[in-house]
Amino acid sequence: MTTPVVLEVITELDGHRARFEEFCRSLSPEELDRQAPKSTWFVRDFIAHLATIDIPVGEMFRAIHRGENAGMRTPDGARVDIDNWNEQQVVERRKAGVESLLEEAARARRELTGHLKALTEEDLARTLKFAGDSKRAAAEIPLGAYLRGWCKHDPMHAIDMCRALPHWQSELAPWFDDPVVQGYQRAMNK
């Protein structure tokens, strides 16, 4: 039986993804090709990122549930540099259409949701070791707490997209009005 915390996370994920898909489908080709300020990515690249990141995150959830090492690793056992991995995924999909990216995202999300549903209360209490990235230091956090922030990934990146699309900011402001989303933006945009 899926835990109440995980059910809440899935509900929030689904709501954010529906809003994100609606936003992405409304963008013109010109808007999709704008470069986001303070980033090397174009608006479309954030869609590609969200289409692919659920794959390693889902594998992390699977590994935690099985009691395995939850870090992303290369075939030879070395830690994966998540920034490089993300960049590679984005560049490989730079010419993909929005519908193709959203279909890829839906497939990855279905698989991730299956891994989420398997998580137990014991899994949620386990400590997750975040290796850090180019903007944030390494940290340890209980998986349950991580999930409550991570499930806001779509609006976090929709804000990044809106830096190149300022005319969308007022319309999407209520979606972005969340302390976790705002905290993420402060941390990533110092």
Side-chain angles (χ1 to χ4, degrees):
M1 184 171 159
T2 305
T3 71
V5 167
V6 169
L7 288 174
E8 288 173 16
V9 165
I10 291 170
T11 298
E12 186 167 354
L13 277 172
D14 290 347
H16 289 313
R17 183 51 53 96
R19 182 67 186 104
F20 184 74
E21 288 177 356
E22 178 185 334
F23 171 53
C24 293
R25 286 184 174 112
S26 70
L27 298 175
S28 71
E30 184 272 328
E31 289 172 316
L32 291 165
D33 288 335
R34 289 186 192 177
Q35 186 166 0
K38 300 182 181 180
S39 176
T40 60
W41 286 1
F42 297 90
V43 169
R44 70 174 49 258
D45 294 340
F46 292 97
I47 304 169
H49 167 63
L50 290 170
T52 57
I53 194 64
D54 281 358
I55 297 165
V57 173
E59 282 302 307
M60 177 182 70
F61 297 156
R62 181 200 57 78
I64 288 171
H65 181 65
R66 291 184 176 180
E68 300 169 355
N69 182 324
M72 288 178 60
R73 304 261 177 211
T74 63
D76 64 358
R79 280 191 109 32
V80 170
D81 179 319
I82 192 65
D83 294 316
N84 288 339
W85 186 88
N86 281 327
E87 189 68 23
Q88 178 183 352
Q89 301 309 305
V90 164
V91 169
E92 288 174 4
R93 289 161 179 81
R94 194 154 273 158
K95 299 295 181 192
V98 170
E99 285 306 317
S100 173
L101 292 170
L102 294 178
E103 287 170 14
E104 182 177 8
R107 286 189 302 274
R109 181 58 54 92
R110 282 191 297 275
E111 188 171 326
L112 174 136
T113 299
H115 295 308
L116 265 174
K117 287 180 176 179
L119 295 173
T120 64
E121 292 291 342
E122 294 80 23
D123 296 332
L124 296 176
R126 288 192 175 114
T127 300
L128 175 67
K129 293 181 180 182
F130 174 64
D133 58 26
S134 65
K135 304 271 183 158
R136 297 169 292 174
E140 293 188 18
I141 184 169
L143 178 61
Y146 170 82
L147 289 176
R148 292 191 184 276
W150 166 81
C151 70
K152 301 168 190 304
H153 203 178
D154 290 357
M156 289 172 181
H157 286 307
I159 289 176
D160 294 326
M161 295 162 74
C162 282
R163 277 196 203 74
L165 310 167
H167 55 285
W168 279 96
Q169 289 177 0
S170 61
E171 182 175 334
L172 297 178
W175 188 30
F176 301 155
D177 187 22
D178 180 292
V180 173
V181 172
Q182 295 300 318
Y184 172 85
Q185 287 299 317
R186 282 190 300 278
M188 298 303 283
N189 294 290
K190 292 179 182 178

